[in-house]
Amino acid sequence: LGLLAALILALTACGSHAARTPEQVARAWSAALNRDDNKRAAALFANDAHVIQGSDETLNGSKGALEWNRLLPCGGAIQSVTREKPDEVLVVFQLTERPGHTCDGPGQFAAAIFQVERGKIVLWHQVPPPSPSAVI
């Protein structure tokens, strides 16, 4: 009986990474970006993910995701995460410096919608942040 319980526990634990929520994925992305771990940040994007940041861009696989993350000038301290839809969260950040980059707006607020499917970001859409009083 002990061996069976251990096997069930091991099998259950193996699948836990696949069921990451949009909030968990957004937080993991932010943490990776703040460490300047562009490879880990890029690994959270689906192939052909869409990024809307002024213009609509389709990332070309892991190479495109890596380059896009590498070019982001700022990190950010998460101020709030709000579920918008079952597969989407709105994340509000206060911009911070990140290693090896010069942030063009430290202290300012920014926001992005993360749409996540099967633990991967399929849409990252920068949107205007809510007023600071709505964040706190």
Side-chain angles (χ1 to χ4, degrees):
L1 185 60
L3 182 58
L4 180 60
L7 180 60
I8 291 170
L9 183 61
L11 290 174
T12 305
C14 288
S16 65
H17 294 299
R20 295 178 72 174
T21 68
E23 179 178 357
Q24 290 169 327
V25 172
R27 287 185 182 280
W29 175 81
S30 179
L33 196 71
N34 290 338
R35 291 188 312 271
D36 200 35
D37 186 349
N38 299 310
K39 188 174 181 180
R40 177 69 192 127
L44 293 166
F45 282 80
N47 286 334
D48 302 324
H50 288 275
V51 172
I52 302 172
Q53 192 179 31
S55 62
D56 188 345
E57 178 181 352
T58 300
L59 301 180
N60 186 13
S62 59
K63 200 173 197 176
L66 180 64
E67 182 65 11
W68 183 79
N69 280 281
R70 189 184 68 73
L71 292 174
L72 290 174
C74 302
I78 293 178
Q79 302 299 300
S80 67
V81 179
T82 307
R83 180 69 61 112
E84 299 284 306
K85 297 179 182 175
D87 64 346
E88 277 185 14
V89 290
L90 171 66
V91 182
V92 178
F93 302 92
Q94 186 167 24
L95 299 180
T96 61
E97 297 290 346
R98 74 181 198 131
H101 298 268
T102 302
C103 180
D104 52 358
Q108 295 181 18
F109 289 93
I113 292 173
F114 289 74
Q115 184 179 23
V116 176
E117 294 177 4
R118 293 184 289 283
K120 297 286 187 173
I121 301 165
V122 296
L123 172 68
W124 187 99
H125 183 183
Q126 185 173 353
V127 295
S131 68
S133 61
V135 174
I136 299 172

